[in-house]
Amino acid sequence: MAEAGVLCYRTSAVEFRIVRGPSSFGGSQNYYPQIKYDGRWGRVCSLGTAAANVFCRQLGQGYVSGQRNYFYGGSRNSGRNWLRYVYCEGSETSILQCANYDFGRPDSTNSNFCGYSVNSLSCFKSVRLRPYDDKSYGLVSAFKNNQFNYVCDKGWDQTETDVVCKELGYKTGLPLCCSAFSYAYSTKKFTRMGDVNCSANDTSLTSCAFNGTTQRCLAASVFCTNDTVNTTDFTVSLDSESGYSGVVSVTYMGLDGHICRDDWDDKDATVMCKSLGFSGGQAYYHYRTRNSGELPPFWFSNVNCTGNETTLAECSYTGFGKVRRCSDVGHAAGVLCYNKQGTFFRLAGGGQNYGRVEVSVEGVWGTICDYSTSWSNLDAKAFCRSIGFADGSVQKGSAYGKGSGVVWDNYWRCNGNETSLNQCSQTGWTVSSSSLCNSHNRDASVYCYQNVRLSQEVDKSMGYVQIYQGDDWKTVCSTGFNDSAARVVCRELGFADGRAVCCSAFGPKPYLDMLNQTVQCSGNEESTQECITDKFCDGAADGSMNYASVICQNASQVIDEGFNFTIQGGHYTSERNHSYSGFAVVSHLGVTGKICNRNWDNNAARVVCTGLGFKDGLVYSHVRGGVLNDDEPFLVAGVNCTGAETSLENCTFRGPLDLDNCSAEAGFLCFNDSGVTFRIAGGDKSMEGLVEVLVGGEIGTICGRGWNNADASVLCKQLGYADGETSNSEDFQFGKGQVWLSNIGCTGQEKSLLDCAHNGWNILDSKISPSFSDYWCRYHLNDAGVKCYDNVQLSIGFEKFLSSGRVNVYSAGAWRAVCSDGWSDSEARVVCKQKGYKTGQAVSGSAFGEYTGPILSSQFTCNGSEDYLLNCSRQDSPCTSGSYASAVCSNEANATDERVRFVSGVTSTSYSGVVQVRIGSLWGRVCSNGWDDKAASVACRELDRRFAGGKAFMQPYRTRAGVPIVLESLSCNGTEASIQDCSRVPWKSNQTCSYENNTAAMVCYEQDISFSLVGGNTPNSGRLELRRDGLRAEICARTWTSVEAKVACQQLGYSDGIPLCPESGYFIGDPLCTRSQFTTGRAISVWRWTLRECEGVEKSLLSCSTTDGWRDGFNTYCIRPPASVHCFNETLAITRTRLAGQDSSNFGRVEVYVPELKSWGTVCDDLWNDVDATVVCKEMGFSKGKALHSAVCGQGTGPIWLDNVKCRGNETSLKQCSSAGLGQHNCDHTEDACVDCFDETVSTVMTTRETTEMPTKTTASISVTTTRETTPTTTPTSTKPTELSSTAKTTTTMSSTVKSSTEQSKSTEQTTSVVTPGQKSTEKPTSGSTPPSSGSFGTFTPEEHVGMGPEMTILVAVLVPILLIIIIAAIVVGILWYKARQRGKASQSSVIDTPVSNQTMDGSLQMTNVMFGMEEINFQNAGPYNITLGDSGGGFTKESTDDKANLVKF
């Protein structure tokens, strides 16, 4: 806590100034702060960033901000040092208002007063040019909302440039494109002011209008000057060490720049080179390296020369302030100038498709250094394409012999799409100065491919086969691949012959892209592409395909078809030469290959060892260097010996076309006396210690590098134990003797360590060069340790002398937990005795966390004298509690007097940390349920009487601690003398607090603990600080959202709050408040309180969970900036929603309004879908909505209030949907969510028959169309036939068509749009038709009339009267039937539909419904109907107007 101070003076008031000092590294100017006191100027030492801001603002002169520089200078041994160790909050108006160590002490002239140096600072006005503030050019940065922001170059023009330059004191300037002067594109991570728009009357950039903020644009750059702008006064040169190849440099007004590569070609390069005195030139794209500092501007772009000009100035171009864009900022125009010829490449020292790459530059042939040029496969691909191949790969280290002559350097950056190295971006040709390169030991070489290639990089005569398809390489499967196919592959690669090797001979390679088509050749094909079949590969369904390999031979080779077995890696493994080890290999077809370990057994090892003069041997699975070496193929598998053979050649085996899918080689160990024995030794606990190995009676160990639980489990089971795990060898004595094994790789299923793969016996002393990891094992610094379990196991080990956890018993081949029913201290003590401990306590109720494994259906009863749990009586019974038993073992027999303590560690101090209490001899945790300030106060006073009280907080439990909960559901009144005097759930009773529950923690105080806001622009905003006994602590918030802000503000007496962007006035949600500003860590020079997260219901931040509580000391580090907040007396809530950005009521950007902040904001499109859009559209009065993304309706400005919106669909407003929280987002305005609202329309397609004119009746048919005439209607008064006319009533025509045997009727398809009431029809009237009147249902399509011949006319004259008679008869029958029914059901009204079948004149059948007892239906106003046809006739039934009610059904 700072104390009050006063500063008295005799002569004059205190004055302040900055003094120019020496420049720092890089040329940046430094200034030193000084104070004049009592007539004498003196220094200010150790200013922080906030203090630098205050000091600069205090100077006036338009300064708005300052920064402390990390350059120190000036003498510390002379003059006054008035002030040191200044700490400001940032809101002060004078440096004297800030806290400081002291002012003007008598020893202020002492050399130690300021330490070893004096800080310098820089003061800034509202606009800066970065990265250097004292130059006339740079990136524009403006001071807005209390921080400097880069300015987006979108819309940046001459007007804005003039405003900036004049504000900085210059006459004029030029706008520059593409973030010129940025350092390695670093400005991409900064937020920018977007779309700045200045007028000629603006005097400051900050007074110009700007449209929001963004992170997705380049920063604006300018060049300011007091000289007259003359666009013809410039020079062009070549920036090159060689003098004829490099980047084109343009110098204008003293500043060097480049030419944009857009439209740069050989004609432009020729003009440039001719101007330098050369005869010609070639263009290339010069790479502007990212580590070369600031990027110079593009003075030119779009250069267009004819080739006849003498200088670039005579060509057309865009230049000097007019360049607005460059398609590739990372590259500039480059040239290769020549007098004789251009650049040419060739292959040398090899064959037609492989060799050393040689290049001719200026007519001088030489090689390329693969070291200094970073020669890559992409470069090799571009080269091979230039000479007619499809692809290529690099061959390192002068693979095809050393070249001669000059060695060229040129750093290419090919992307894989080029067809020549000249098309790749590059740095230009220079003569190499590297002694390594000039020795021709690193001449670049390539191997080019056309349609087929082999995988091996070392020996190109063998490898697995790959075919070029679709601009990619596919690996050929071994199904059907034989020697004939191998010959075709090898001949295509330039060899004379070849043989096939099946079954993934170079080892498992699961990452290969396999071709699921077999390759089968007759042997006469010219190309492998001709052999591809349509048959699928074996194993394609389950991904177990084997790849095919080949061994190719040249014509000069003598092929040995036999199999010759030899030994590699053979060495004596013991000091007395009593044992010998190695691995067997085989030579076949002129290639040395491997023998598969499948079926490789001790009989085969005996054959090898007796041949070497030993009595016996055993096998092992050999893996070279700890991994399977793929330089050599497997050539033999299935070796089967009886043990009596004199050589492996006499055993049976399988060859290259019948291999297994192998993963290790055939290794052996020979001995005379005895074999191999494993044992455990060196540990101070039962069944735990170093792993020892005896080979021929000679002792040794296993290196712990790579030693894991699978290896330990195999060893323990081999030794007769139930299971095992690794143990730390540091707890044991150092091993002795040989280090027999290393890099063991067990799967866990092996029966012995001898079955596991490794890289050899005693390889450290062998002739084989050991790997780096083996050297690490040489001196027994990391010998393998193991802990075996006989049949009982504790799930958690904690510290050296304590083991605890769930009790597991090995039963029926698996570990099972012991049921907690009847579990007591007696059983726990037996378990602990079995594990080598002195005492133990029982813990019941699944005290060590959730367990989903099996629980043993047995209950143990021990009397305490047993040595093993399984010696106790055991009764089989179901586990009624469903929970497991636990035990806490210890070697501490006597309990201490201590009853409360803090857990020791980095998260605890003498007054803060996780609380533990002692119950009996067991220390345990306190559950967070019921843990409050009263309980914390009791515990603090019990811990130390000097404490007046305490505050409770929660800390997430770290499961590795292995400590059970012993107190839960505490209820203290605050006056108790001990925490155990509080009401609580008794120990070992029905506890419900989970092991994973948050742990109770507390911070104790002598005076008080309080929260406050500091450094804000208003009393209700600022940085949140916690004070304990006068000590100030910042809040280091791992999660700082609107939830935590609300809790913080409520504990200060406000209703709600929102996070503030660190050290600025922006609310979270504003795009200027970026995610990076909330994730950038910083050092804290005060105490800190680390907050993890809140749920939102807490009364105080201390009730939220924390990671490590209160951390003491200076210079600690926080992974987040300090927590800042703005509090409100009202609850923050979204009250309104609108569509913006478009002049439309149903389409636009979704925006929501927060009245407390008086701000509209947008919604981010993360997770934005049609369900969310429909909720918004319903809120707007529409029925449906479609979600649109990526600000397609225009980018918004201001805050982004919502992100990750998730609506269920039944909400009435967007504010009811869940989201990430108000202002919580990771977006910018390019991700603004939009909607397209509409009223739902259902369309159906119906097919009707064309018919002749028929009487107007209500009809039903299989194909239905509801039509409406467009002229006024009249109702017919009789049932006699009438012609269909413009005055006919609305009809529903249904035609169930039966084709006549003599005449086919024409048919057409008619589309009817059925629209729900109140919706607008989307159908447009056809040309010449009358639009439908309001309230219409559907649309009308006139029917065509079918002409009738004489025969048809006679037929109609006969049929019409007959039909009329039938209709009249049907009506009479219907009336009689209706009256009869009425008499039976007098209380009911009925509708009788009598179907009458009529055959129309075109031969179709027409079903006519004659209806009685009904009012006339007005189809225009009746709404949608369901029309059905059944056994009892048709009927109309009114349905609800939902989405499906408009369909006409039958």
Side-chain angles (χ1 to χ4, degrees):
M1 180 179 293
E3 299 178 354
V6 63
L7 182 64
C8 302
Y9 52 87
R10 297 183 183 92
T11 57
S12 60
V14 180
E15 299 179 28
F16 305 89
R17 72 180 182 185
I18 52 176
V19 179
R20 187 184 183 96
S23 298
S24 63
F25 176 78
S28 180
Q29 186 62 56
N30 289 283
Y31 296 87
Y32 296 98
Q34 291 189 349
I35 296 178
K36 185 179 182 181
Y37 172 63
D38 216 11
R40 289 176 294 180
W41 287 100
R43 302 180 187 87
V44 179
C45 312
S46 305
L47 286 177
T49 300
N53 275 319
V54 173
F55 193 93
C56 289
R57 290 199 306 266
Q58 183 178 358
L59 294 176
Q61 305 175 31
Y63 293 126
V64 297
S65 178
Q67 94 178 3
R68 179 186 67 176
N69 297 328
Y70 289 95
F71 173 78
Y72 300 96
S75 173
R76 62 187 180 93
N77 295 319
S78 62
R80 281 282 179 179
N81 301 297
W82 285 127
L83 200 59
R84 65 172 175 172
Y85 300 131
V86 182
Y87 179 81
C88 301
E89 293 179 349
S91 59
E92 298 86 350
T93 58
S94 170
I95 198 73
L96 298 179
Q97 297 174 358
C98 302
N100 64 83
Y101 188 85
D102 45 23
F103 188 99
R105 279 177 45 179
D107 62 344
S108 63
T109 58
N110 188 291
S111 60
N112 292 323
F113 185 84
C114 277
Y116 288 97
S117 53
V118 180
N119 284 103
S120 67
L121 58 80
S122 298
C123 295
F124 308 115
K125 296 183 180 181
S126 60
V127 67
R128 300 168 57 185
L129 296 183
R130 304 177 76 176
Y132 301 117
D133 293 286
D134 56 347
K135 293 185 178 180
S136 63
Y137 53 84
L139 297 156
V140 181
S141 181
F143 194 75
K144 198 83 170 178
N145 294 328
N146 295 322
Q147 69 178 15
F148 278 98
N149 301 283
Y150 286 101
V151 179
C152 182
D153 71 346
K154 184 179 180 182
W156 188 265
D157 213 327
Q158 188 65 49
T159 303
E160 289 74 27
T161 300
D162 286 340
V163 170
V164 168
C165 291
K166 289 178 181 178
E167 186 176 359
L168 292 171
Y170 298 94
K171 292 181 180 180
T172 186
L174 293 174
L176 305 173
C177 87
C178 317
S179 289
F181 315 112
S182 64
Y183 181 79
Y185 311 115
S186 60
T187 59
K188 285 188 175 181
K189 65 183 180 182
F190 294 112
T191 302
R192 298 165 182 77
M193 298 166 54
D195 299 346
V196 176
N197 186 11
C198 298
S199 67
N201 298 323
D202 287 315
T203 58
S204 173
L205 184 65
T206 55
S207 64
C208 299
F210 76 97
N211 182 21
T213 57
T214 183
Q215 283 184 294
R216 300 189 178 183
C217 69
L218 295 174
S221 304
V222 297
F223 172 77
C224 298
T225 181
N226 286 318
D227 299 328
T228 302
V229 175
N230 183 353
T231 58
T232 61
D233 186 12
F234 63 90
T235 60
V236 181
S237 61
L238 189 62
D239 185 2
S240 167
E241 295 180 6
S242 66
Y244 51 82
S245 176
V247 63
V248 180
S249 178
V250 178
T251 303
Y252 178 66
M253 301 186 76
L255 182 62
D256 293 333
H258 290 158
I259 298 177
C260 174
R261 53 161 280 187
D262 292 351
D263 297 330
W264 184 253
D265 57 22
D266 286 344
K267 292 181 179 179
D268 309 324
T270 297
V271 171
M272 174 63 196
C273 290
K274 285 182 177 179
S275 70
L276 297 175
F278 295 92
S279 62
Q282 289 179 330
Y284 74 90
Y285 300 148
H286 188 92
Y287 177 66
R288 307 210 298 176
T289 177
R290 292 175 181 264
N291 58 6
S292 62
E294 62 183 45
L295 296 176
F298 286 120
W299 284 130
F300 279 10
S301 180
N302 303 110
V303 177
N304 186 10
C305 301
T306 63
N308 299 319
E309 299 87 351
T310 58
T311 65
L312 286 181
E314 299 175 10
C315 304
S316 65
Y317 59 84
T318 302
F320 304 119
K322 304 298 183 182
V323 179
R324 292 292 180 266
R325 290 288 180 268
C326 185
S327 63
D328 185 358
V329 179
H331 297 86
V335 295
L336 168 64
C337 300
Y338 55 84
N339 284 321
K340 299 178 180 179
Q341 52 190 346
T343 307
F344 299 94
F345 299 90
R346 71 185 181 191
L347 278 176
Q352 62 179 359
N353 65 321
Y354 61 93
R356 182 177 59 254
V357 178
E358 294 188 346
V359 60
S360 173
V361 181
E362 277 293 287
V364 178
W365 282 98
T367 61
I368 299 171
C369 182
D370 66 6
Y371 174 74
S372 57
T373 62
S374 298
W375 184 249
S376 70
N377 283 333
L378 292 177
D379 305 333
K381 182 177 183 178
F383 172 80
C384 290
R385 285 185 171 183
S386 69
I387 60 175
F389 292 92
D391 200 357
S393 64
V394 167
Q395 306 299 295
K396 292 287 187 181
S398 299
Y400 300 105
K402 294 182 180 182
S404 60
V406 67
V407 178
W408 295 104
D409 278 347
N410 192 347
Y411 185 67
W412 287 282
R413 293 181 63 85
C414 303
N415 57 33
N417 298 319
E418 301 88 354
T419 57
S420 169
L421 279 175
N422 288 332
Q423 296 176 0
C424 302
S425 64
Q426 53 196 277
T427 56
W429 293 102
T430 58
V431 176
S432 177
S433 59
S434 168
S435 59
L436 178 64
C437 295
N438 289 330
S439 65
H440 289 283
N441 288 324
R442 297 299 300 265
D443 287 343
S445 303
V446 298
Y447 202 103
C448 300
Y449 312 101
Q450 187 58 46
N451 297 316
V452 65
R453 73 178 184 184
L454 304 182
S455 62
Q456 287 304 96
E457 295 294 331
V458 179
D459 186 353
K460 288 297 178 182
S461 66
M462 63 180 178
Y464 55 84
V465 183
Q466 293 186 310
I467 289 180
Y468 199 69
Q469 276 198 349
D471 202 28
D472 198 8
W473 290 99
K474 303 286 186 179
T475 304
V476 175
C477 70
S478 63
T479 305
F481 193 91
N482 55 21
D483 286 343
S484 296
R487 291 187 181 95
V488 174
V489 169
C490 291
R491 285 200 303 267
E492 190 171 358
L493 292 173
F495 296 93
D497 199 1
R499 300 296 176 87
V501 186
C502 82
C503 314
S504 302
F506 289 90
K509 299 185 182 300
Y511 54 84
L512 292 178
D513 187 6
M514 300 294 296
L515 175 69
N516 191 18
Q517 292 174 274
T518 61
V519 174
Q520 301 181 32
C521 306
S522 65
N524 299 319
E525 294 84 356
E526 295 293 330
S527 170
T528 312
Q529 297 283 344
E530 302 175 31
C531 303
I532 300 175
T533 73
D534 293 331
K535 298 178 181 179
F536 294 143
C537 299
D538 295 340
D542 59 3
S544 62
M545 285 189 289
N546 286 320
Y547 59 79
S549 304
V550 298
I551 299 173
C552 298
Q553 296 101 21
N554 292 315
S556 60
Q557 285 182 265
V558 178
I559 305 303
D560 184 2
E561 300 280 353
F563 294 87
N564 300 309
F565 293 88
T566 56
I567 293 172
Q568 283 188 2
H571 62 283
Y572 287 100
T573 59
S574 68
E575 296 177 354
R576 299 182 296 274
N577 293 337
H578 288 171
S579 57
Y580 187 87
S581 181
F583 51 93
V585 296
V586 62
S587 295
H588 179 60
L589 301 175
V591 172
T592 298
K594 294 176 284 192
I595 300 174
C596 183
N597 67 325
R598 298 280 178 89
N599 304 119
W600 179 253
D601 59 16
N602 288 339
N603 286 334
R606 186 173 296 115
V607 172
V608 173
C609 292
T610 54
L612 293 172
F614 289 87
K615 293 181 180 180
D616 205 349
L618 53 84
V619 298
Y620 74 92
S621 297
H622 182 80
V623 180
R624 306 186 196 185
V627 296
L628 182 63
N629 188 292
D630 62 356
D631 291 342
E632 299 173 355
F634 285 99
L635 294 178
V636 164
V639 176
N640 185 13
C641 303
T642 63
E645 295 87 351
T646 58
S647 171
L648 289 178
E649 284 90 344
N650 299 328
C651 302
T652 61
F653 54 85
R654 301 193 304 273
L657 294 179
D658 190 17
L659 298 174
D660 296 311
N661 190 346
C662 302
S663 59
E665 298 181 62
F668 62 88
L669 174 66
C670 302
F671 49 85
N672 286 320
D673 300 327
S674 59
V676 178
T677 304
F678 295 95
R679 71 184 185 187
I680 301 173
D684 59 359
K685 299 178 184 178
S686 176
M687 300 172 292
E688 182 177 7
L690 286 178
V691 181
E692 290 188 341
V693 187
L694 284 81
V695 178
E698 189 172 346
I699 195 170
T701 62
I702 297 175
C703 176
R705 178 62 62 92
W707 180 254
N708 57 32
N709 285 338
D711 308 327
S713 177
V714 170
L715 174 64
C716 289
K717 291 177 181 178
Q718 176 184 349
L719 296 176
Y721 296 105
D723 205 348
E725 63 183 9
T726 61
S727 184
N728 192 350
S729 63
E730 294 178 357
D731 294 340
F732 316 125
Q733 296 179 356
F734 287 119
K736 56 185 178 180
Q738 308 286 349
V739 179
W740 283 116
L741 295 173
S742 63
N743 294 300
I744 296 178
C746 300
T747 65
Q749 306 302 315
E750 296 86 353
K751 295 182 179 180
S752 168
L753 277 184
L754 295 174
D755 299 331
C756 302
H758 56 83
N759 61 348
W761 289 91
N762 194 16
I763 195 171
L764 296 179
D765 291 334
S766 73
K767 298 177 183 178
I768 301 175
S769 177
S771 66
F772 175 78
S773 62
D774 291 323
Y775 279 117
W776 193 73
C777 303
R778 182 180 296 274
Y779 300 106
H780 295 285
L781 298 178
N782 186 30
D783 288 334
V786 69
K787 180 195 291 184
C788 295
Y789 305 111
D790 48 1
N791 45 33
V792 175
Q793 172 194 71
L794 291 176
S795 61
I796 297 176
F798 182 53
E799 298 178 354
K800 183 174 181 180
F801 299 109
L802 175 67
S803 187
S804 59
R806 180 181 64 252
V807 179
N808 295 328
V809 173
Y810 197 77
S811 175
W815 288 103
R816 303 173 188 272
V818 174
C819 179
S820 66
D821 293 351
W823 187 254
S824 68
D825 288 343
S826 297
E827 290 76 38
R829 281 193 289 269
V830 171
V831 168
C832 292
K833 184 192 303 184
Q834 182 175 348
K835 306 310 294 180
Y837 298 96
K838 294 179 179 179
T839 186
Q841 276 189 274
V843 187
S844 60
S846 296
F848 287 89
E850 183 180 358
Y851 172 72
T852 58
I855 296 179
L856 194 66
S857 298
S858 298
Q859 181 174 326
F860 293 92
T861 303
C862 304
N863 58 32
S865 62
E866 299 88 350
D867 293 326
Y868 300 97
L869 181 64
L870 295 185
N871 291 343
C872 301
S873 63
R874 175 177 173 181
Q875 181 179 355
D876 293 337
S877 61
C879 186
T880 57
S881 65
S883 60
Y884 60 79
S886 302
V888 176
C889 303
S890 176
N891 285 321
E892 300 175 359
N894 298 320
T896 63
D897 294 333
E898 188 182 22
R899 302 183 70 183
V900 178
R901 70 182 182 186
F902 287 125
V903 177
S904 61
V906 294
T907 63
S908 295
T909 67
S910 61
Y911 54 85
S912 177
V914 172
V915 180
Q916 286 187 353
V917 298
R918 179 173 55 80
I919 303 295
S921 62
L922 174 64
W923 284 98
R925 296 183 293 134
V926 179
C927 182
S928 60
N929 295 341
W931 181 251
D932 57 16
D933 290 347
K934 292 180 180 179
S937 294
V938 172
C940 284
R941 290 192 296 268
E942 183 177 5
L943 183 68
D944 194 325
R945 292 184 178 180
R946 67 186 173 93
F947 292 129
K951 294 287 187 181
F953 66 91
M954 311 300 169
Q955 191 161 345
Y957 180 58
R958 294 171 172 83
T959 55
R960 64 175 179 270
V963 180
I965 292 174
V966 297
L967 284 182
E968 69 168 289
S969 301
L970 279 173
S971 179
C972 303
N973 58 34
T975 62
E976 294 87 352
S978 170
I979 193 70
Q980 299 191 37
D981 295 335
C982 300
S983 171
R984 66 186 190 277
V985 173
W987 167 239
K988 294 187 179 180
S989 63
N990 296 325
Q991 291 183 297
T992 59
C993 190
S994 170
Y995 177 72
E996 290 83 7
N997 199 291
N998 286 340
T999 300
M1002 65 185 181
V1003 54
C1004 302
Y1005 59 85
E1006 298 178 37
Q1007 300 173 16
D1008 192 16
I1009 292 178
S1010 62
F1011 287 89
S1012 61
L1013 295 175
V1014 297
N1017 297 326
T1018 61
N1020 60 324
S1021 67
R1023 187 175 64 254
L1024 190 65
E1025 287 189 349
L1026 171 63
R1027 294 179 183 268
R1028 173 194 169 271
D1029 293 343
L1031 295 176
R1032 179 179 56 84
E1034 290 185 354
I1035 306 297
C1036 177
R1038 291 189 61 183
T1039 304
W1040 190 244
T1041 69
S1042 54
V1043 176
E1044 287 74 29
K1046 182 175 183 178
V1047 173
C1049 289
Q1050 286 181 342
Q1051 78 178 37
L1052 293 173
Y1054 297 95
S1055 297
D1056 208 343
I1058 189 170
L1060 284 180
C1061 201
E1063 301 181 2
S1064 75
Y1066 295 111
F1067 292 124
I1068 187 173
D1070 194 300
L1072 279 177
C1073 193
T1074 63
R1075 182 177 179 84
S1076 64
Q1077 291 174 297
F1078 274 90
T1079 56
T1080 302
R1082 89 284 187 209
I1084 298 179
S1085 58
V1086 294
W1087 289 265
R1088 80 167 193 226
W1089 173 267
T1090 305
L1091 178 70
R1092 186 168 181 260
E1093 62 181 350
C1094 302
E1095 295 180 359
V1097 297
E1098 298 87 351
K1099 301 297 183 183
S1100 167
L1101 284 179
L1102 292 175
S1103 301
C1104 303
S1105 66
T1106 178
T1107 55
D1108 55 7
W1110 188 288
R1111 183 70 67 86
D1112 252 347
F1114 289 90
N1115 297 322
T1116 57
Y1117 189 80
C1118 181
I1119 63 174
R1120 296 288 190 273
S1124 302
V1125 68
H1126 191 110
C1127 298
F1128 298 89
N1129 288 319
E1130 306 87 8
T1131 301
L1132 297 175
I1134 293 172
T1135 59
R1136 297 160 59 190
T1137 306
R1138 73 180 182 187
L1139 301 184
Q1142 301 289 324
D1143 188 16
S1144 173
S1145 62
N1146 68 317
F1147 173 73
R1149 180 178 60 253
V1150 180
E1151 294 187 352
V1152 294
Y1153 185 70
V1154 181
E1156 293 77 20
L1157 302 175
K1158 299 179 181 179
S1159 174
W1160 285 95
T1162 63
V1163 178
C1164 181
D1165 64 4
D1166 293 346
L1167 306 183
W1168 187 250
N1169 58 29
D1170 289 347
V1171 177
D1172 311 322
T1174 297
V1175 171
V1176 172
C1177 290
K1178 286 182 177 179
E1179 194 173 356
M1180 299 292 109
F1182 297 90
S1183 63
K1184 284 285 185 180
K1186 180 176 180 58
L1188 303 174
H1189 302 80
S1190 303
V1192 296
C1193 50
Q1195 296 184 23
T1197 60
I1200 299 173
W1201 284 135
L1202 296 178
D1203 189 15
N1204 295 339
V1205 173
K1206 294 180 182 179
C1207 300
R1208 297 183 302 273
N1210 58 354
E1211 298 87 350
T1212 59
S1213 173
L1214 187 64
K1215 64 184 179 182
Q1216 298 172 356
C1217 302
S1218 66
S1219 69
L1222 188 66
Q1224 297 297 138
H1225 69 87
N1226 58 352
C1227 313
D1228 58 31
H1229 283 299
T1230 63
E1231 301 172 77
D1232 286 344
C1234 302
V1235 295
D1236 185 8
C1237 301
F1238 56 91
D1239 287 324
E1240 190 174 27
T1241 299
V1242 180
S1243 299
T1244 60
V1245 179
M1246 305 179 184
T1247 304
T1248 62
R1249 282 265 171 202
E1250 291 184 356
T1251 62
T1252 56
E1253 298 180 20
M1254 293 299 296
T1256 303
K1257 294 184 180 181
T1258 302
T1259 62
S1261 73
I1262 293 176
S1263 296
V1264 178
T1265 301
T1266 303
T1267 62
R1268 183 185 56 80
E1269 296 277 357
T1270 58
T1271 55
T1273 62
T1274 57
T1275 303
T1277 56
S1278 67
T1279 58
K1280 69 179 183 178
T1282 60
E1283 293 183 354
L1284 185 63
S1285 69
S1286 62
T1287 60
K1289 65 180 282 186
T1290 300
T1291 65
T1292 299
T1293 305
M1294 305 183 181
S1295 176
S1296 178
T1297 305
V1298 178
K1299 290 186 178 181
S1300 170
S1301 60
T1302 58
E1303 183 177 359
Q1304 300 291 327
S1305 62
K1306 295 185 295 180
S1307 65
T1308 62
E1309 283 195 331
Q1310 174 181 333
T1311 301
T1312 301
S1313 187
V1314 185
V1315 187
T1316 57
Q1319 291 181 333
K1320 297 179 180 180
S1321 173
T1322 58
E1323 291 292 325
K1324 295 182 180 180
T1326 58
S1327 178
S1329 65
T1330 305
S1333 61
S1334 61
S1336 64
F1337 180 75
T1339 56
F1340 172 70
T1341 303
E1343 294 183 350
E1344 296 182 3
H1345 295 271
V1346 181
M1348 295 182 295
E1351 297 84 1
M1352 184 62 68
T1353 302
I1354 297 172
L1355 180 62
V1356 169
V1358 174
L1359 291 178
V1360 168
I1362 297 175
L1363 291 174
L1364 288 176
I1365 294 172
I1366 294 173
I1367 291 170
I1368 294 171
I1371 292 173
V1372 172
V1373 173
I1375 292 173
L1376 294 176
W1377 179 82
Y1378 171 75
K1379 289 184 176 181
R1381 189 182 180 206
Q1382 283 289 87
R1383 286 192 297 268
K1385 298 181 179 180
S1387 62
Q1388 297 180 359
S1389 61
S1390 62
V1391 179
I1392 302 175
D1393 301 342
T1394 305
V1396 178
S1397 176
N1398 293 319
Q1399 186 172 16
T1400 62
M1401 299 179 67
D1402 64 354
S1404 64
L1405 288 176
Q1406 184 179 62
M1407 304 298 294
T1408 303
N1409 288 325
V1410 184
M1411 294 176 282
F1412 301 91
M1414 295 178 61
E1415 297 292 335
E1416 182 179 356
I1417 298 175
N1418 186 341
F1419 283 86
Q1420 294 182 351
N1421 301 318
Y1425 286 81
N1426 182 12
I1427 307 175
T1428 59
L1429 180 63
D1431 294 337
S1432 59
F1436 290 91
T1437 306
K1438 183 72 178 289
E1439 290 188 347
S1440 62
T1441 58
D1442 60 12
D1443 292 346
K1444 297 181 179 180
N1446 299 321
L1447 299 177
V1448 182
K1449 304 176 183 178
F1450 300 91

